[in-house]
Amino acid sequence: MDWKKRFVQTNRGVFEVFEKGEGTPLVVTHLYSEFNETGDYFANSMVGHYKVILLNLRQCGESERVQEPYQLSLLETTFDVEAVREGLGYKRWGFAGHSTGAMLGVIYGIHFSDNIRELILVSGAAREYMSDTDACIYHLNHPSFHTMQDYFEALKRKDLTQEERISIKQARTKLSLHRPERYDEYFDQKIEKQVSAGRLSYFSRELHIFDVTRKLEQVACRTLVMAGMTCSALHFFQ
């Protein structure tokens, strides 16, 4: 069953969300992914435990457009997330994110812990980490660095055919897999996410000054930090 689409009117504009599951509310988002009714692998892992609200951030999908560049920043984005919570009428909810979604979750937890039931952060960070070691694929000296960057730039193009876009996304993902030959086994659902070029470009610049490690003690809600993902781990909060 596809995710149910709806629009949320907030004091910061209208935002597109997709809902699925039952139980306590949990918002899931990613800093530069554009979601649709086909859902998201990470969000799907939460559906058996929560009512999941998959959120298209500003400039993604049919959500509110950007008026000023700063509206794409991590901090400003947490204000949008809060506005959606208020627009849906939830006093508190959970937040879950992986990768840049987890980085956003750290900022959200620092500033809005009182409104968060729990944080689920997977494979994220509280500071810029790519310059520390060339074992990171985003380090300039990593052997696959330029290939990964080429894939990101290619996905920003508007003239790609659907087949070309799918092929590039698969190749990009395989670069991060320990067993790339098992790609078809890992990703066997018909999920069709897109990349917001504007959000990705802004994040690529903001990342170089990103460091909130000294503020982590301000996260006062229950928090689960993971690398990798198993559904059984979610029983931590049940």
Side-chain angles (χ1 to χ4, degrees):
M1 182 179 68
D2 284 348
W3 291 66
K4 182 179 179 181
K5 175 181 176 178
R6 66 179 292 191
F7 293 96
V8 183
Q9 180 68 55
T10 79
N11 60 6
R12 293 174 64 87
V14 177
F15 289 85
E16 181 184 38
V17 303
F18 301 90
E19 298 178 333
K20 195 173 184 179
E22 298 180 357
T24 54
L26 177 84
V27 63
V28 174
T29 194
H30 185 276
L31 201 62
Y32 51 80
S33 289
E34 295 189 352
F35 306 108
N36 53 54
E37 286 90 346
T38 63
D40 170 74
Y41 282 99
F42 179 73
N44 283 348
S45 69
M46 310 287 177
V47 169
H49 305 270
Y50 299 95
K51 177 180 179 180
V52 180
I53 299 99
L54 186 58
L55 169 61
N56 263 337
L57 298 174
R58 187 181 295 268
Q59 202 68 17
C60 293
E62 297 184 61
S63 286
E64 195 72 20
R65 300 292 95 180
V66 169
Q67 303 301 318
E68 299 290 344
Y70 73 85
Q71 293 176 311
L72 295 175
S73 70
L74 285 159
L75 181 59
E76 275 293 314
T77 300
T78 65
F79 299 151
D80 287 342
V81 174
E82 264 296 275
V84 172
R85 178 190 63 79
E86 294 174 350
L88 288 171
Y90 296 129
K91 183 176 181 180
R92 300 172 74 218
W93 63 359
F95 179 100
H98 72 93
S99 186
T100 60
M103 295 167 72
L104 177 64
V106 172
I107 305 294
Y108 190 43
I110 288 171
H111 295 282
F112 295 104
S113 275
D114 288 347
N115 301 331
I116 303 172
R117 183 175 178 268
E118 66 269 309
L119 275 176
I120 302 172
L121 308 176
V122 180
S123 300
R127 65 176 177 84
E128 181 274 312
Y129 58 87
M130 63 188 183
S131 60
D132 288 352
T133 171
D134 58 12
C136 174
I137 200 169
Y138 300 107
H139 190 285
L140 185 62
N141 293 330
H142 189 282
S144 296
F145 170 81
H146 293 291
T147 303
M148 178 66 87
Q149 296 305 308
D150 288 344
Y151 287 150
F152 272 119
E153 289 303 312
L155 288 172
K156 294 178 183 180
R157 290 169 47 191
K158 299 294 185 181
D159 61 339
L160 290 177
T161 66
Q162 184 66 7
E163 291 74 19
E164 289 173 330
R165 188 173 298 278
I166 291 173
S167 177
I168 293 171
K169 288 170 65 176
Q170 289 180 351
R172 180 193 64 174
T173 300
K174 286 180 179 180
L175 286 178
S176 298
L177 295 180
H178 178 62
R179 299 281 299 276
E181 70 276 8
R182 299 182 69 175
Y183 176 91
D184 291 335
E185 177 185 344
Y186 298 149
F187 301 96
D188 59 353
Q189 301 175 37
K190 294 182 178 180
I191 292 174
E192 302 173 356
K193 292 192 301 183
Q194 305 295 330
V195 170
S196 168
R199 293 200 68 97
L200 175 57
S201 295
Y202 193 96
F203 169 71
S204 297
R205 291 163 174 77
E206 187 177 24
L207 176 61
H208 292 280
I209 57 171
F210 176 67
D211 185 348
V212 293
T213 51
R214 294 185 179 182
K215 294 187 176 182
L216 288 177
E217 64 183 18
Q218 297 179 32
V219 178
C221 55
R222 296 188 301 172
T223 303
L224 177 62
V225 179
M226 293 184 285
M229 182 65 200
T230 60
C231 292
S232 60
L234 297 181
H235 290 293
F236 177 85
F237 287 133
Q238 303 305 310

